[in-house]
Amino acid sequence: MRAVCWNGPKDIRVESVPDPIIINPRDAIVRIHKTAICGSDLHLYNGYIPMMEKGDILGHEFMGEVVEVGSRIEELRPGDRVVVPFSISCGYCFFCRKELWSLCDNSNPNASAAEKMYGFSGAGLFGYSHLYGGYSGGQAEYVRVPFADVGAMKVPEDLLDEQVLFLSDILPTGYMAAKNCAIKPGDTVAVWGCGPVGQFAIKSAYLLGAGRVIAIDAAPMRLEMAANQGKAETLNYEEVELLEELKERTGGRGPDACIDAVGMEAHGTSLTALYDRAKQAVKLETDRPNVLRQTIESCRKGGTVSIAGVYGGYIDKIPLGIAFAKGLTLKMGQTHVQKFMKPLLERIRKGEIDPTFVITHRLRLQEAPEAYRMFADNKNGCLKVVMKP
Ligand SMILES: [Zn+2]
Ligand SMILES: [Zn+2]
């Protein structure tokens, strides 16, 4: 089959590789219909994530059709159309039973490497380095889905491939970010970062009862999308003094909840830095946690800060004293996709949200090297790329 392979930093190639086969009784093989490039794929592209190997197949956002199932899979049959969560979860461990799917104890065969770095390991991830299990990703013609009985969700015929594709990651991620805000009817929610996750956080905040959403970014195209699609008020942080402006717009009190949908792009780097030298980490981390600082500084007393953006290591100068004095609630973490897929599928069916609005580019799998380049360089208004094998 053809697959998108990592060959080194900024070296993505579409190569011919062996087809995946059933290895374990709970596996399924899925023929990919649609797959997307995620912002977090750029950390791999830029070479910031350790334990990548030449030839690793990328991609953790995909959907398609079941073509083969292992002997213990009863829930799925060849021909079923499914969407698959980015994190791999066994369904039966202590954490899976608590619906903390992304913290599964059983799905990372290289847990010891992650334990060395963090003291523990989370779930294995598709197409995201050998640190997270070395699973081949879904930017390919076929993919092996482990624990497919709890990982792959069947999708109804009345929905298009693209309408369900983002249930694999970014829609549940944006939704969980808003859900973590414990929104009360009429609340004001501020969202930092209007990439795809930020866009879905905006939509989700309204779905969960927010009265106002303020979208913060510097890219006019993203702010426009937040205003037109998300019905958010917008704020360009390059044009105003952000903290003052937020105060001004909320009667001097600050937003009820603040969502960090930026994370630390530089924090992909901190993983490596952590791996190498604490000193280097400190140097890398001094300039970028500004979004997290701003959310804490601007949130109203007793409010909630919800972190959806990915953080990798140690960060400094976080104003914990302010968070404590204000009595803030801080919520964060890798998305428990399996928990939110079904409720969100229902919302898509009811027409409450159509996630396809974030797609700016539709390409062939063969064009992946250009797609990565364009996405990484932020060219042609590229917000979200969907590829078809
Ligand atoms: Zn993703
Ligand atoms: Zn588990």
Side-chain angles (χ1 to χ4, degrees):
M1 68 165 184
R2 302 291 283 168
V4 177
C5 297
W6 187 92
N7 276 278
K10 304 200 166 139
D11 186 357
I12 304 290
R13 300 177 203 170
V14 181
E15 294 174 348
S16 292
V17 301
D19 288 355
I21 53 165
I22 300 278
I23 296 174
N24 295 309
R26 289 171 66 196
D27 287 351
I29 304 295
V30 171
R31 185 168 65 81
I32 302 298
H33 285 186
K34 292 278 164 70
T35 176
I37 303 178
C38 179
S40 63
D41 286 330
L42 292 182
H43 300 323
L44 304 170
Y45 178 77
N46 289 321
Y48 291 146
I49 305 291
M51 294 182 74
M52 286 296 289
E53 288 171 20
K54 257 183 192 298
D56 281 350
I57 301 172
L58 301 177
H60 60 266
E61 299 181 357
F62 55 87
M63 60 77 56
E65 184 186 324
V66 175
V67 291
E68 201 184 339
V69 294
S71 59
R72 277 184 57 201
I73 299 280
E74 284 162 12
E75 297 76 3
L76 301 169
R77 285 284 144 249
D80 286 344
R81 211 158 51 110
V82 293
V83 56
V84 178
F86 72 89
S87 75
I88 299 167
S89 312
C90 77
Y92 296 99
C93 71
F94 176 88
F95 297 97
C96 285
R97 282 173 193 271
K98 289 188 183 305
E99 289 199 287
L100 300 169
W101 300 91
S102 68
L103 302 173
C104 175
D105 246 351
N106 281 334
S107 59
N108 185 357
N110 297 337
S112 62
E115 280 163 8
K116 227 194 252 167
M117 204 174 292
Y118 291 120
F120 71 95
S121 172
L125 308 175
F126 285 103
Y128 218 80
S129 90
H130 294 263
L131 183 62
Y132 297 106
Y135 292 100
S136 291
Q139 288 169 9
E141 286 183 279
Y142 296 90
V143 68
R144 177 176 75 94
V145 178
F147 303 125
D149 49 344
V150 294
M153 182 180 71
K154 268 196 250 187
V155 293
E157 274 179 27
D158 56 322
L159 293 175
L160 302 170
D161 289 349
E162 284 183 355
Q163 282 179 296
V164 297
L165 172 61
F166 301 136
L167 287 169
S168 57
D169 178 358
I170 54 173
L171 180 54
T173 297
Y175 186 78
M176 187 169 110
K179 191 96 181 156
N180 276 345
C181 293
I183 295 167
K184 304 269 186 320
D187 274 0
T188 298
V189 179
V191 178
W192 274 252
C194 298
V197 169
Q199 300 288 344
F200 289 148
I202 292 166
K203 285 261 184 198
S204 301
Y206 278 125
L207 286 175
L208 294 168
R212 289 169 70 196
V213 179
I214 302 172
I216 303 160
D217 205 296
M221 175 252 173
R222 292 174 178 223
L223 288 171
E224 246 166 65
M225 189 183 272
N228 297 339
Q229 298 286 341
K231 310 288 174 226
E233 294 173 31
T234 58
L235 196 164
N236 185 334
Y237 63 79
E238 282 181 349
E239 290 170 359
V240 293
E241 213 292 298
L242 178 66
L243 297 186
E244 279 309 307
E245 180 70 17
L246 278 174
K247 241 186 183 173
E248 187 69 31
R249 291 197 198 183
T250 53
R253 207 160 53 196
D256 299 295
C258 296
I259 296 176
D260 172 357
V262 178
M264 210 130 308
E265 294 227 66
H267 258 72
T269 23
S270 80
L271 259 179
T272 353
L274 195 60
Y275 209 58
D276 298 335
R277 258 181 315 219
K279 225 177 172 182
Q280 193 187 2
V282 171
K283 190 179 157 224
L284 280 165
E285 281 154 23
T286 43
D287 59 334
R288 293 295 299 273
N290 55 327
V291 167
L292 182 53
R293 281 185 209 127
Q294 287 166 352
T295 56
I296 291 171
E297 285 164 357
S298 57
C299 194
R300 74 150 162 83
K301 290 188 283 184
T304 301
V305 168
S306 164
I307 308 171
V310 174
Y311 286 83
Y314 291 84
I315 52 174
D316 54 341
K317 295 198 180 75
I318 294 307
L320 201 65
I322 297 179
F324 183 86
K326 282 180 165 180
L328 299 184
T329 301
L330 266 69
K331 299 271 276 180
M332 66 196 84
Q334 194 79 272
T335 312
H336 304 302
V337 177
Q338 288 87 336
K339 184 174 173 177
F340 301 110
M341 281 174 115
K342 282 218 171 79
L344 285 169
L345 181 78
E346 275 318 300
R347 287 188 186 270
I348 295 170
R349 279 189 103 171
K350 283 191 215 148
E352 292 175 4
I353 182 166
D354 180 357
T356 58
F357 76 91
V358 297
I359 303 173
T360 53
H361 291 75
R362 293 176 172 85
L363 299 168
R364 309 291 303 188
L365 192 73
Q366 205 57 35
E367 298 171 285
E370 294 93 278
Y372 268 89
R373 222 172 296 132
M374 190 170 62
F375 189 40
D377 300 343
N378 222 338
K379 270 199 195 125
N380 306 328
C382 188
L383 190 80
K384 192 71 183 175
V385 182
V386 170
M387 300 184 295
K388 190 178 155 61

